[in-house]
Amino acid sequence: MTDRPLSLVLVSTPVGQLGSGRGGGVELTLASLVKGLAQRGHRLHLVAPEGSCSPVIDERVTLHTVPGVDQPSWQHADRNEPMRIPRDAVLPRLWDRALELASDVDALLNFGYDWLPLWLTPHVAPNIFHLVSMGSVSAVMDSAVADLARWDQRRLAFHTRRQSDDFALVDPPDVVGNGFDLSRYELQLITDGPLGWAGRVAPEKGLEDAALVAAQLGETLRVWGLVEDDAYARRVESAVPAGTIEWCGFKPTDELQRELGGCRALLNTPKWNEAYGNVVVEALACGVPVIAYDRGGPGEIIQDGETGWLVAPDDWEALAKATLQASAIDRLACRRWVERCASQEGLAARVEAWIRRGLLPVNGTIS
Ligand code: UDP
């Protein structure tokens, strides 16, 4: 294996410009990887929707933006919905630009959860890799992932094993976890703060269960995140006593981590097979134990009894009981877990290793 720096095109999500929050956890993952891969000496082109900012000012990173209409996000579509590409869509333009840049790079790395780049992969000479950002939410996408896995599964990586279990794969999956710039998260050791919840406010995130827990304990729940679904947010709020939820809005990372770090515990209540769960790790990075359903990525990330408590999915009464045990968790141990398992540097190293393996000829010999 060679140590020559790689030249890569990173293709952002077609759901919202970087910094809007509409891309969810992908935005932070991408920012982290841009910084981590640049630090390792690689040359990067970042292709993103117009209005995006580069996560880092670095001579090794060039931002290219293209205009166009957002792609509808798959997690809010019916499972059997067909692939839709709106008129003037940004998605094909991202790939037009990425393929234009491809002639003198080693690989293209896709962050969008979309059919088009998966379908393109076996049809073009440039090496396209995909960091799959969600579990199974659509039949069209399930087939596209399975088809690509049959062609060459080394082009696919996942955030957690539980996420990858959703797909029909032919080999054991490449699981790269995720990574965070830990210099941006401050450990706070206070143990008498409020309860917190963070994420896109949308049904798959299960805010209603966290609200029930707070109501049962007679506490306020501080909620950070983009309200994607207003009607849903109002339904959740009206199901609990007035004042149970304190809406804190969508905050940039610096503020989010400061406020999150003041919490006694983060409640995490996914109703879907969460691929990873960035907010879980961001809370842990600040020393905040996480009390969660044992489902999807959070169920794999949280070390029961060491960095938080896991309870049976959808059992909000068990979640309330576990929340009373939050102070039994050592906040320093939460931070230490993130330093060991979810640093920006670690993610960049794992992604680089995955891409280098995928660039080898199929029989494993170096040509
Ligand atoms: N987030 C943020 N500000 C907020 C609340 C959330 O920047 O006030 C970010 C958070 O840092 C995380 C993302 O929103 O990266 C949510 O990602 P997660 O993986 O938890 O869920 P997703 O939205 O991808 O399903």
Side-chain angles (χ1 to χ4, degrees):
M1 194 177 280
T2 169
D3 283 326
R4 173 182 69 79
L6 296 172
S7 183
L8 302 169
V9 179
L10 274 45
V11 187
S12 186
T13 168
V15 183
Q17 72 269 33
L18 287 173
S20 69
R22 294 205 301 284
V26 174
E27 294 188 28
L28 198 69
T29 303
L30 181 50
S32 193
L33 256 182
V34 168
K35 289 190 269 179
L37 290 170
Q39 268 165 14
R40 293 177 70 80
H42 303 302
R43 196 163 62 79
L44 308 174
H45 293 279
L46 172 58
V47 182
E50 198 167 67
S52 298
C53 300
S54 177
V56 65
I57 308 294
D58 186 313
E59 60 184 17
R60 281 163 293 205
V61 181
T62 312
L63 174 69
H64 308 259
T65 63
V66 295
V69 172
D70 268 20
Q71 202 55 26
S73 58
W74 279 108
Q75 70 264 37
H76 300 137
D78 283 345
R79 195 164 183 86
N80 291 314
E81 192 133 311
M83 173 67 199
R84 287 179 205 281
I85 300 184
R87 186 168 182 196
D88 297 327
V90 75
L91 174 64
R93 292 182 184 162
L94 290 171
W95 284 93
D96 263 347
R97 178 60 66 88
L99 291 168
E100 270 167 28
L101 294 165
S103 57
D104 66 342
V105 303
D106 296 290
L108 287 71
L109 178 52
N110 170 39
F111 290 82
Y113 188 93
D114 274 293
W115 172 87
L116 179 66
L118 289 166
W119 180 84
L120 264 179
T121 304
H123 293 94
V124 295
N127 303 300
I128 307 180
F129 289 76
H130 305 265
L131 180 48
V132 180
S133 62
M134 291 197 279
S136 165
V137 289
S138 135
V140 170
M141 284 297 293
D142 289 359
S143 304
V145 170
D147 289 349
L148 189 59
R150 273 197 303 280
W151 181 72
D152 186 353
Q153 194 183 304
R154 299 175 309 160
R155 298 299 186 84
L156 296 165
F158 301 86
H159 288 293
T160 58
R161 195 160 290 279
R162 288 192 185 188
Q163 172 203 9
S164 70
D165 285 345
D166 269 4
F167 299 102
L169 303 176
V170 291
D171 293 310
D174 272 294
V175 175
V176 296
N178 214 343
F180 299 79
D181 176 356
L182 290 175
S183 67
R184 301 187 72 186
Y185 298 85
E186 191 193 341
L187 172 66
Q188 296 188 39
L189 293 173
I190 55 103
T191 52
D192 57 354
L195 297 176
W197 187 96
R200 287 177 295 105
V201 178
E204 68 272 16
K205 296 293 191 174
L207 174 60
E208 64 274 29
D209 288 19
L212 286 174
V213 169
Q216 162 131 335
L217 300 178
E219 296 203 37
T220 301
L221 180 68
R222 303 200 77 199
V223 173
W224 292 270
L226 189 78
V227 178
E228 267 190 351
D229 184 336
D230 258 324
Y232 165 73
R234 280 197 301 275
R235 275 200 309 280
V236 171
E237 192 169 31
S238 62
V240 288
T244 301
I245 294 184
E246 181 187 339
W247 299 106
C248 304
F250 180 82
K251 298 280 171 72
T253 301
D254 296 351
E255 282 174 54
L256 176 66
Q257 69 84 29
R258 190 172 338 107
E259 296 177 14
L260 260 186
C263 289
R264 181 167 97 251
L266 183 85
L267 305 184
N268 190 257
T269 45
K271 294 285 170 182
W272 66 338
N273 186 16
E274 185 85 64
Y276 187 79
N278 283 0
V279 297
V280 167
V281 180
E282 293 178 272
L284 296 176
C286 303
V288 180
V290 185
I291 323 293
Y293 290 150
D294 188 2
R295 171 181 274 149
E300 195 168 315
I301 293 165
I302 296 160
Q303 308 299 301
D304 192 37
E306 184 195 335
T307 62
W309 298 108
L310 291 171
V311 305
D314 306 321
D315 186 348
W316 66 267
E317 284 167 318
L319 203 71
K321 277 201 200 105
T323 302
L324 295 172
Q325 304 302 317
S327 62
I329 302 295
D330 173 7
R331 291 176 73 102
L332 192 57
C334 297
R335 171 76 183 198
R336 293 281 174 263
W337 183 89
V338 183
E339 288 170 354
R340 255 193 344 269
C341 303
S343 69
Q344 177 176 287
E345 295 76 16
L347 174 66
R350 291 189 294 274
V351 166
E352 177 184 336
W354 159 54
I355 290 175
R356 286 198 192 276
R357 276 196 305 277
L359 289 173
L360 294 173
V362 177
N363 65 9
T365 60
I366 298 171
S367 54

